Amino acid sequence: MNELRYRAMTGNLTGASVLILEDEAIISFDLELTAQDMGAARTVCAFSLREAQAAMQAERFDAAILDVNLPDGSSERLALQLAQAGTLVIFHTGHGERETLCSQCPSAGFVAKPSSPQQIADELGRMRAATAD
């Protein structure tokens, strides 16, 4: 990993538990590595809404990175549930627009696919700064 990029990302998720909902295995793996590089203590990868809902019943998450269009439906309602529980939510999708998705869950962040780890880190940093105000 590029040393400069690593330093920029370090600490955004220090000690956090992160839910990753993504039906594409390679993208899920990349997001998991990104979360770990940012200091996440635990990552849980779900490949369907059903798996994500089961994970939510088992534990609380500090952050979630959610694909929107999944084989068993849209993650928009799940995002709202997570946000209401105090979880930082980022929509990570190649379909849909920020305004449309975030109108349903105003506190959510948005990163369009394809994305870089730095874009995820930047959006998370922006969200944390906004909640600190």
Side-chain angles (χ1 to χ4, degrees):
M1 177 182 287
N2 178 307
E3 177 80 18
L4 181 60
R5 187 183 88 188
Y6 182 76
R7 275 186 286 163
M9 289 178 15
T10 300
N12 285 335
L13 290 173
T14 301
S17 177
V18 181
L19 173 64
I20 297 166
L21 174 55
E22 172 59 62
D23 60 334
E24 299 279 340
I26 193 76
I27 296 172
S28 178
F29 180 68
D30 186 51
L31 291 171
E32 183 175 32
L33 290 176
T34 296
Q36 291 168 354
D37 287 346
M38 291 169 40
R42 176 165 163 70
T43 55
V44 174
C45 294
F47 298 93
S48 68
L49 284 173
R50 187 173 62 244
E51 288 179 17
Q53 290 164 339
M56 283 177 55
Q57 290 176 359
E59 67 184 279
R60 185 196 173 285
F61 294 96
D62 300 301
I65 303 170
L66 309 177
D67 188 5
V68 175
N69 296 316
L70 300 145
D72 56 345
S74 170
S75 67
E76 292 175 76
R77 183 172 296 185
L78 183 77
L80 188 55
Q81 292 170 339
L82 284 161
Q84 289 172 341
T87 302
L88 292 176
V89 175
I90 295 176
F91 287 116
H92 184 248
T93 184
H95 305 284
E97 295 181 8
R98 176 188 295 265
E99 294 78 24
T100 303
L101 291 170
C102 294
S103 70
Q104 299 296 317
C105 186
S107 64
F110 180 90
V111 176
K113 291 181 190 176
S115 67
S116 70
Q118 190 63 55
Q119 287 173 298
I120 299 288
D122 290 348
E123 184 67 357
L124 187 61
R126 183 199 64 77
M127 293 172 67
R128 288 211 168 186
T131 60
D133 292 341

